[in-house]
Amino acid sequence: MTTELKSNLVSSVQTAAKQAGLTLVSTAEGTDFHGQPTAVFELGLPGGDAARTLKLQLTEGFEFSKPELLATMTAHMAGEAKRLRNPRPDCYVTLGGLPIALGKFEWPFHQSTSGADTYIVHGEMQLADGGAQNLHAKLAAAVTLTFAEIVPAMEQPFAESFVYNAVRKTVDYGQLEFLKSGNRQPVPVTTRYYSRWKKRFLFTETTDAERLDYLLRKVYWLSGVLGESKPVWIADPRDAQYLNTTEEDLLRMAKDEAGQGLMVLEGEFAAATPALMARAGEYQAKLEEALNFTKPQFNESMRSGHANM
């Protein structure tokens, strides 16, 4: 990485971070999958917990100040600033009721080494239920060339949301298994997740009831279980994209539940109440059910040799 390129990129990230209410904690040189140099930035909140930071890794020569890129980068930084206020900024919940932590993603994308026409990014998903099961899945998210044409830049700020939501959707399909060890599991990211007509991502059509259940599970796990009942961000556009709704709709539902005594709402953030935590048995049962759904199912009659072949 040349001094000039590094200086320009650091200056641009620092400016964008400041505008979003973030501080640039550190910068370092990294490498991508093929050993090419990257710039690694650690971002935090002013006066925030030093252990609660997020990583941004960009190609050495990336310039996001272009008009077609700047708006998305600005929105990404603004979202990170709010997400960093969560007790566990790395954690999400699936529609099936699984709390997960996403991390160790090796940005940026690299082209497949197997000859397939795809861009790959490696990462990891952990089961984040507050226990000691140590269940996780190593991931290989594969973006098709057709899908890549939709993305303004194959860099972390422009792809992280739809990659994370593709991971959640693949869990919802029962196609990712949580293990204590194992090889990387594929996460296909294809044009089925994008509407060219509507020009937006589409992951899951949900009803009001499903979105409400999702919000309650999110607040239960991320605030109540993992966050010592500290508030979590409700109006997260990443969740809105995953549920095919809007941030405003999620906030409206949270206000309704706050009125029922299940959460305490502070602006766009909500904290779990004792009434919500009293539902622990229900949410633990849902977690076990969702975990079982991800495990391979075998035809017992075939295992016993009773099936016609």
Side-chain angles (χ1 to χ4, degrees):
M1 181 185 300
T2 67
T3 302
E4 182 180 359
L5 279 174
K6 182 178 179 180
S7 176
N8 288 341
L9 189 54
V10 170
S11 177
S12 295
V13 169
Q14 196 163 26
T15 299
K18 184 177 181 180
Q19 291 174 346
L22 294 168
T23 58
L24 185 55
V25 177
S26 67
T27 63
E29 289 192 7
T31 55
D32 65 13
F33 182 82
H34 296 295
Q36 297 301 307
T38 61
V40 182
F41 304 94
E42 187 180 6
L43 303 169
L45 293 172
D49 185 349
R52 194 188 304 173
T53 59
L54 291 173
K55 187 178 79 169
L56 176 67
Q57 186 167 9
L58 301 170
T59 303
E60 64 164 339
F62 182 60
E63 296 181 27
F64 60 82
S65 57
K66 300 174 182 177
E68 66 272 22
L69 301 178
L70 187 57
T72 301
M73 184 64 167
T74 302
H76 176 79
M77 287 289 199
E80 296 296 78
K82 291 183 178 181
R83 201 167 288 114
L84 266 173
R85 292 172 56 186
N86 288 344
R88 286 286 303 273
D90 60 330
C91 287
Y92 301 85
V93 175
T94 71
L95 263 175
L98 287 174
I100 60 173
L102 294 172
K104 298 184 180 180
F105 276 78
E106 301 167 5
W107 302 100
F109 288 94
H110 63 272
Q111 286 194 284
S112 172
T113 57
S114 66
D117 291 333
T118 54
Y119 292 96
I120 307 290
V121 63
H122 291 161
E124 192 169 299
M125 172 179 63
Q126 299 269 354
L127 179 66
D129 63 343
Q133 297 188 61
N134 195 31
L135 294 176
H136 68 283
K138 294 179 180 179
L139 308 171
V143 176
T144 63
L145 293 183
T146 305
F147 193 97
E149 294 174 357
I150 300 165
V151 186
M154 296 297 283
E155 300 279 344
Q156 181 182 352
F158 303 87
E160 189 173 73
S161 285
F162 69 71
V163 167
Y164 281 14
N165 283 336
V167 171
R168 287 198 275 185
K169 186 65 177 178
T170 308
V171 173
D172 292 337
Y173 283 141
Q175 295 173 352
L176 286 174
E177 186 179 7
F178 290 82
L179 304 164
K180 292 190 176 181
S181 62
N183 298 323
R184 292 199 182 277
Q185 301 179 54
V187 177
V189 187
T190 69
T191 50
R192 68 178 174 174
Y193 294 139
Y194 187 79
S195 170
R196 290 186 180 273
W197 176 58
K198 295 182 179 179
K199 297 189 182 302
R200 63 186 177 92
F201 294 98
L202 297 172
F203 285 92
T204 305
E205 291 289 349
T206 54
T207 64
D208 273 2
E210 289 169 329
R211 292 192 287 272
L212 179 56
D213 284 344
Y214 172 86
L215 284 178
L216 291 174
R217 289 172 193 154
K218 174 177 179 173
V219 175
Y220 171 81
W221 285 111
L222 305 194
S223 170
V225 175
L226 300 177
E228 300 177 339
S229 292
K230 295 176 182 176
V232 296
W233 188 24
I234 289 298
D236 189 337
R238 199 164 284 179
D239 287 341
Q241 183 188 84
Y242 174 53
L243 301 171
N244 193 25
T245 187
T246 64
E247 298 97 290
E248 292 78 14
D249 193 44
L250 294 176
L251 197 56
R252 173 185 62 80
M253 290 189 168
K255 288 178 180 177
D256 290 342
E257 289 311 299
Q260 300 297 320
L262 294 175
M263 59 179 78
V264 177
L265 198 64
E266 301 175 7
E268 295 183 357
F269 291 76
T273 65
L276 180 61
M277 298 312 294
R279 298 185 176 186
E282 173 189 339
Y283 293 128
Q284 186 62 42
K286 197 66 181 177
L287 180 147
E288 296 298 335
E289 180 184 337
L291 267 183
N292 286 334
F293 182 63
T294 68
K295 296 176 182 178
Q297 303 296 315
F298 297 96
N299 186 317
E300 292 300 326
S301 62
M302 290 183 68
R303 189 201 299 272
S304 303
H306 298 152
N308 293 325
M309 300 291 289

